[in-house]
């Protein structure tokens, strides 16, 4: 009879110890959940769904081998990668009104035209959009360039820039 009581006592100590051990992290977890919900609210208010813009700029003065020279061929090329992340549990529409390429030193606008784009991000969706820009005149200036993206979420207008890159010739 004494052995059963001792085993029961040890089992109760183990259960009580694991309840106490779990109580501290549970309180800590509640604190983290509370601060995470504050962070989520802040992200919602910021509406910064575009996380990163990356630019690849190139100029192809000569046509590829085997292609005859055409003066109407596009020689200025830009690929703008736009990384989008929706941390919300509801769909969000992002309207990209313009994508521009600027010289880094003087801010001069390069001669590229972009199309208006509207993207609907599903709940918790991550996506990457590529905007291809071309022109027939190439790049002007000899410095580095950056992409500037203007977008709208609900009634707020924002801009985000890529890092400056050298034009690949």
């Amino acid at each position: 009879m004494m052995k059963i009581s001792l085993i029961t006592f040890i089992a109760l100590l183990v259960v009580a110890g694991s309840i106490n051990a779990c109580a501290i992290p549970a309180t800590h977890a509640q604190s983290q959940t509370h601060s995470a919900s504050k962070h989520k609210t802040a992200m919602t208010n910021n509406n910064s769904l575009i996380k990163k813009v990356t630019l690849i700029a190139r100029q192809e003065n000569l046509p590829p081998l085997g292609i005859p020279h055409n003066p109407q061929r596009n020689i200025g090329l830009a690929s703008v990668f736009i990384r989008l992340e929706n941390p919300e549990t509801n769909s969000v529409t992002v309207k990209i009104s313009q994508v521009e390429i600027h010289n880094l030193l003087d801010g001069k606008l390069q001669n590229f035209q972009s199309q208006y784009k509207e993207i609907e991000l599903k709940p918790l969706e991550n996506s990457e959009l590529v905007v291809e820009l071309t022109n027939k005149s190439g790049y002007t200036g000899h410095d580095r360039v950056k992409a500037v993206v203007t977008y709208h979420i609900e009634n707020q207008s924002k801009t985000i820039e890529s890092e400056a890159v050298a034009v690949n010739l």
Side-chain angles (χ1 to χ4, degrees), residues 23-146:
I24 294 169
T27 306
H28 181 67
Q30 288 170 347
S31 164
Q32 285 180 337
T33 304
H34 181 65
S35 69
S37 67
K38 278 197 242 178
H39 181 66
K40 183 176 179 183
T41 303
M43 286 183 74
T44 304
N45 293 338
N46 277 345
N47 287 331
S48 65
L49 299 177
I50 296 184
K51 297 300 181 184
K52 185 176 183 181
V53 174
T54 306
L55 170 64
I56 298 175
R58 58 200 183 284
Q59 183 167 313
E60 297 178 357
N61 293 327
L62 298 174
L65 290 175
I67 304 295
H69 179 71
N70 178 356
Q72 295 302 314
R73 184 177 66 83
N74 290 322
I75 61 171
L77 308 164
S79 298
V80 181
F81 297 85
I82 302 170
R83 178 80 179 144
L84 301 138
E85 295 179 8
N86 181 8
E88 301 297 322
T89 55
N90 52 356
S91 294
V92 177
T93 301
V94 178
K95 299 172 186 171
I96 298 177
S97 59
Q98 60 186 349
V99 178
E100 300 174 329
I101 308 298
H102 292 265
N103 287 343
L104 180 64
L105 293 179
D106 62 6
K108 183 178 177 185
L109 181 63
Q110 295 287 335
N111 185 26
F112 289 97
Q113 300 293 321
S114 67
Q115 296 286 329
Y116 173 85
K117 295 195 183 289
E118 191 169 300
I119 301 103
E120 182 180 348
L121 291 172
K122 304 288 186 227
L124 306 174
E125 180 180 11
N126 295 331
S127 180
E128 187 161 295
L129 172 71
V130 181
V131 177
E132 297 288 343
L133 304 172
T134 60
N135 71 25
K136 296 182 185 340
S137 59
Y139 289 85
T140 57
H142 297 287
D143 56 347
R144 298 162 56 90
V145 294
K146 64 182 176 181

